[in-house]
Amino acid sequence: MGLLSKKDAKLITDPLADNNPITIQVLGICSALAITAQLKASIVMAVSVLFVLGIGNVVISLLRNIIPSKIRIIVQLVVVAALVIIVDQVLKAFSYELSKTLSVFVGLIITNCIIMGRFEAFALGNGPWKSFLDGIGNALGYGVILIIVGFFRELLGSGTLLGFKVLGDPIEKTGLYAIGYENNGFMLLSPMALIVVGIIIWVQRSRNKALIED
Amino acid sequence: MEHLELFLKSIFIDNMVFATFLGMCSYLAVSKKVSTAVGLGAAVIFVMLITVPLNWLLDQYILQPGALKWLGEEYAAYDLSFLSFILFIATIATMVQLVEIVVEKFSPSLYNSLGIFLPLIAVNCAILGGSLFMQSREIPTLGLATVYGVGSGIGWFLAILAIAAIREKIRYSNVPPALRGLGITFIITGLMAIGFMSFGGMLTGGDDEAKKEEKTASVQEETSNDQVAINAAETEKEELANNTNN
């Protein structure tokens, strides 16, 4: 990357794998699990978090010398809430059906621990450009997991990806269904999201032994 | 009867952790020991008991479309519902601050054992989620909102207590190294969630009339977000209903 110095690039690449917000830092799990039955919803959620975290980190970083430390949580919440309201209104305006699908989970970006966590751990102590990169990196790390989970749940659960029937037609028995494949409806139920994330963690930690706990 | 039904429903069927995955961060972070899990669970119940009815009042008299009627006829057309995130979170943050002060004053030992997690209740999604579900499910009365708040709090308490007990024991089990800690906790939570799904039949197993009510109740529509996601037809219906409301 010519644009970014090595240190800056690390801010983006680190959260993608070895310091992933979901699988390593254990932050922002709720939304990662609840809306991943469809790939489309996962992508929209990932983009929303990218927007909120990227801009929020910059705003907090700019304000960091003005905010009194006693009330910083409330200030942070107000900044996030304002950004989330923007996301929510945009979604309602341009994609009403999707915003119904995501229901309260757009609002819950406010309490997504990744955002508070990055504000506390990074934006309060670093300049705006670095904070921006850190925000983008962490949001991408979050998005990657979301998209992986959404991909498997939609593919195995309903045989579609982004609404396209990739495995053939289950009613007319074409493609994979012709040889007796059936959709695993269980993948669409919420508990399977937890198990899929558990498996992702398992795979990640068997590849990188340094991450194993205890 | 209505109250009892909503109470049981919010504890078992719409359990905050197992049905909607809210408050997972603190659920995973604080569940290593039963004693701290109990402390945090109690604090969550208390905060939910206060904030859900309080936010119900805010929603009813300030935020809903037409809620400002009590100010005068000219305000009846106002719709402030886009402000609900900010007002709800402000209520919650204030309440958490209050709880923190009270706990510090009356039980310093509990205060010390909870440490950083007490202020973190403010960003526990279960609490904001409770208020947002209360709003989106249109819970009709203050009494029901209170019951819903307490019930969801107890449901969360139950979940964190259960997982903490299991995690204390599982330390002695032979888990594959890569799954130890976080991974196995996720999978256990998934299995517990499957178990909790069986409570779904609890309130619908009664007479036919109860069944019919169950189907029409708006509470039912969002029991499982995922199911709403699959069922596009239902979302359409909701959309229509919403449009006519507006």
Side-chain angles (χ1 to χ4, degrees), chain A residues 38-95:
Chain A
Q38 287 175 313
L39 187 54
K40 196 171 161 200
S42 320
I43 293 175
V44 169
M45 193 68 182
V47 172
S48 313
V49 170
L50 188 72
F51 171 81
V52 174
L53 190 51
I55 301 202
N57 244 1
V58 173
V59 173
I60 293 292
S61 165
L62 288 172
L63 293 175
R64 71 183 189 279
N65 296 324
I66 317 171
I67 305 173
S69 69
K70 284 247 175 214
I71 59 159
R72 65 177 195 284
I73 299 228
I74 296 190
V75 174
Q76 288 164 357
L77 283 175
V78 170
V79 170
V80 189
L83 290 167
V84 170
I85 289 175
I86 297 174
V87 171
D88 186 49
Q89 297 291 320
V90 168
L91 271 181
K92 274 200 183 125
F94 292 103
S95 171

Side-chain angles (χ1 to χ4, degrees), chain A residues 80-147:
Chain A
V80 189
L83 290 167
V84 170
I85 289 175
I86 297 174
V87 171
D88 186 49
Q89 297 291 320
V90 168
L91 271 181
K92 274 200 183 125
F94 292 103
S95 171
Y96 189 75
E97 208 167 292
L98 201 61
S99 82
K100 274 279 159 208
T101 311
L102 292 173
S103 79
V104 300
F105 288 94
V106 176
L108 288 174
I109 297 178
I110 299 174
T111 49
N112 190 319
C113 343
I114 295 181
I115 295 180
M116 290 303 271
R118 288 336 285 173
F119 285 0
E120 286 280 310
F122 201 91
L124 280 175
N126 288 285
W129 173 239
K130 272 192 170 166
S131 305
F132 179 69
L133 292 178
D134 180 76
I136 298 288
N138 277 283
L140 285 177
Y142 166 84
V144 165
I145 301 287
L146 230 66
I147 287 167

Side-chain angles (χ1 to χ4, degrees), chain B residues 106-162:
Chain B
F106 291 105
S107 172
S109 60
L110 178 64
Y111 180 79
N112 286 331
S113 73
L114 285 176
I116 178 75
F117 292 109
L118 205 52
L120 277 187
I121 294 182
V123 285
N124 184 326
C125 0
I127 310 236
L128 182 61
S131 292
L132 290 175
F133 274 129
M134 174 275 297
Q135 189 188 32
S136 73
R137 290 171 187 179
E138 288 161 18
I139 287 180
T141 65
L142 184 63
L144 281 173
T146 318
V147 166
Y148 179 70
V150 183
S152 311
I154 294 178
W156 198 85
F157 177 83
L158 208 69
I160 195 170
L161 194 65

Side-chain angles (χ1 to χ4, degrees), chain B residues 9 18 20 27 37 39-41 53 64 88 97 100 108 133 142 145 150-151 161 171 177 180 185 197 224 228 244:
Chain B
K9 195 176 212 157
F18 297 127
T20 44
Y27 166 84
L40 187 73
Q64 267 183 5
F88 285 0
Q97 201 94 63
E100 205 181 339
F133 274 129
L142 184 63
V150 183
L161 194 65
R171 224 169 285 153
R180 249 172 236 162
T185 314
M197 279 169 73
S224 161
V228 177
T244 44

Side-chain angles (χ1 to χ4, degrees), chain A residues 23 30 34 89 100 113 153 190, chain B residues 21 25 82 125 182 226 242:
Chain A
T23 60
C30 337
Q89 297 291 320
K100 274 279 159 208
C113 343
R153 284 184 72 194
S190 23
Chain B
F21 303 124
C25 317
F82 68 94
C125 0
L182 192 57
D226 291 348
N242 257 302

Side-chain angles (χ1 to χ4, degrees), chain A residues 22-24 26-31 33-38 70 73-74 77-78 81-82 84-85 88-89 96-97 100-108 110-113 116 153 158 186-195 197-199 201-203 205-206 209 212-214, chain B residues 17-26 28-29 32 82-86 89 93-94 97 119 122-125 128-129 132-133 136 167 171 176-183 186-187 189-191 193-194 197 222 224-230 232 235-236 238-239 242-243 246:
Chain A
I22 292 184
T23 60
I24 311 296
V26 207
L27 298 174
I29 315 264
C30 337
S31 54
L33 300 168
I35 45 88
T36 48
Q38 287 175 313
K70 284 247 175 214
I73 299 228
I74 296 190
L77 283 175
V78 170
V84 170
I85 289 175
D88 186 49
Q89 297 291 320
Y96 189 75
E97 208 167 292
K100 274 279 159 208
T101 311
L102 292 173
S103 79
V104 300
F105 288 94
V106 176
L108 288 174
I110 299 174
T111 49
N112 190 319
C113 343
M116 290 303 271
R153 284 184 72 194
S158 38
F186 208 51
M187 288 300 280
L188 293 174
L189 298 177
S190 23
M192 282 314 287
L194 282 162
I195 295 179
V197 175
I199 293 171
I201 292 173
W202 192 0
V203 171
R205 290 188 187 183
S206 1
K209 302 278 187 222
I212 293 174
E213 289 169 49
D214 303 325
Chain B
V17 173
F18 297 127
T20 44
F21 303 124
L22 296 180
M24 287 296 281
C25 317
S26 26
L28 290 167
K32 281 188 185 118
F82 68 94
L83 281 177
S84 46
F85 296 155
I86 267 191
I89 201 74
T94 324
Q97 201 94 63
V123 285
N124 184 326
C125 0
L128 182 61
L132 290 175
F133 274 129
S136 73
R167 281 181 87 171
R171 224 169 285 153
L179 260 181
R180 249 172 236 162
L182 192 57
F186 264 103
I187 291 179
T189 310
L191 295 176
I194 294 173
M197 279 169 73
E222 295 201 25
S224 161
N225 244 45
D226 291 348
Q227 262 152 10
V228 177
I230 317 161
T235 38
E236 256 173 47
E238 259 181 61
E239 205 178 318
N242 257 302
N243 286 343
N246 289 345

